[in-house]
Amino acid sequence: QKMLNAIGVTLKGDDQQLTGKPLLKRVMQKWLPSADAVLEMTVMHLPSPKTSQKYRCPVLYDGPTDDAAAQGIMNCDKNGPLMMYVSKMVPTSDKGRFYAFGRVFSGTVSTGQKVRILGPNYEPGKKIDLNVKAIQRTVIMMGRIVEQVSDVPCGNNVALVG
């Protein structure tokens, strides 16, 4: 109890009956909440999309660095051409449907917008693995919560349906 007072942790209810490893775990959760620590570390140490995309553009984009797409990525321009990378297909509660989860690097993605989808076998100048589709829904995923939004500007993560 003396040590808990020294670090400013107070245990309530059933927590006072814990011993050993469960007690240590509860004290650490109260003293150093990991969610707050990770969020603060992310905010303090990771650069913003506007800053990081300037020097990451050559890694993100294979085309010429002076075209509209590259400039949109470098400047994190919400009015530039839509450039998005889908990193994961997340299953939905509807059987056989997926969210295309990814990061918007340039432009603004919105519900109803027609987009060109370049698949993994796409080759520039050819129509192999190139599709044009309309986005049915634009959603933001926050843990288990999925919230539908009308549009998402560059620098953000988004999930698409359609």
Side-chain angles (χ1 to χ4, degrees), residues 36-48:
D36 295 340
V38 170
L39 178 63
E40 185 176 339
M41 182 187 71
T42 301
V43 169
M44 299 299 280
H45 297 289
L46 291 180
S48 71

Side-chain angles (χ1 to χ4, degrees), residues 109-115 133-138 149-150 161:
V109 63
S110 58
T111 302
Q113 182 177 9
K114 283 203 179 280
V115 294
K133 301 279 182 186
I135 298 170
Q136 293 174 358
R137 278 192 306 151
T138 308
V149 292
S150 59
V161 179

Side-chain angles (χ1 to χ4, degrees), residues 6 14 23 25 45 47 52 59 73 77-78 110 114 122 130 132 137 141 154:
D14 293 338
L23 174 63
K25 185 175 179 181
H45 297 289
S52 65
V59 176
I73 292 171
D77 183 10
K78 69 177 185 174
S110 58
K114 283 203 179 280
Y122 173 76
L130 170 68
V132 177
R137 278 192 306 151
M141 300 176 84
C154 57

Side-chain angles (χ1 to χ4, degrees), residues 59-141:
V59 176
L60 299 169
Y61 182 67
D62 290 336
T65 57
D66 60 345
D67 71 353
Q71 291 301 312
I73 292 171
M74 276 193 248
N75 298 322
C76 197
D77 183 10
K78 69 177 185 174
N79 298 316
L82 177 61
M83 299 293 285
M84 179 180 166
Y85 179 75
V86 173
S87 57
K88 187 172 187 171
M89 298 299 285
V90 181
T92 66
S93 56
D94 299 338
K95 190 172 183 171
R97 294 192 58 102
F98 290 86
Y99 290 119
F101 181 80
R103 166 101 179 259
V104 181
F105 289 102
S106 171
T108 302
V109 63
S110 58
T111 302
Q113 182 177 9
K114 283 203 179 280
V115 294
R116 291 185 346 172
I117 303 165
L118 313 179
N121 300 321
Y122 173 76
E123 293 179 33
K126 297 181 181 172
K127 293 195 177 195
I128 299 168
D129 212 5
L130 170 68
N131 297 293
V132 177
K133 301 279 182 186
I135 298 170
Q136 293 174 358
R137 278 192 306 151
T138 308
V139 297
I140 296 175
M141 300 176 84

